[in-house]
Amino acid sequence: MANGNIDRFLGGSPLSVLVRLLFISLLVGAAMAFLGLSPRGLYEVVARFVRSLGDLGFGAVREVGQWVIAGALIVVPLWLLARLFAARR
């Protein structure tokens, strides 16, 4: 019974799945070599992309934070004055 669960999980017998994965890996590796791609190069491209997304995201957060601070310089004193004048009534 346990062997049937493994076969169902893998999508076939472990040996046939291994042979298929090796064959597909060979084809993908050959295509990558033909295109001049390497695993290290792909890793570097993905890492650079993730860093640029992080920089973009944190840059936007920084800019929004500056907007909040600039607006707070006007809004907070006006709110405080409005609360002080409302308390006198």
Side-chain angles (χ1 to χ4, degrees):
M1 190 61 147
N3 212 11
N5 289 336
I6 292 173
D7 289 353
R8 188 173 38 225
F9 174 74
L10 293 177
S13 71
L15 184 60
S16 69
V17 171
L18 178 65
V19 169
R20 281 186 287 173
L21 288 175
L22 285 172
F23 181 70
I24 292 170
S25 295
L26 175 67
L27 291 177
V28 170
M32 286 176 59
F34 179 75
L35 295 173
L37 300 173
S38 68
R40 182 183 195 102
L42 289 175
Y43 170 77
E44 291 171 357
V45 166
V46 169
R48 193 175 330 122
F49 176 71
V50 169
R51 274 194 304 269
S52 70
L53 281 180
D55 292 343
L56 178 64
F58 292 124
V61 169
R62 188 178 309 115
E63 187 169 344
V64 168
Q66 289 173 351
W67 293 348
V68 168
I69 291 171
L73 288 173
I74 302 298
V75 170
V76 171
L78 291 176
W79 172 80
L80 186 58
L81 286 172
R83 297 302 301 161
L84 286 173
F85 286 122
R88 288 190 176 177
R89 285 194 237 181

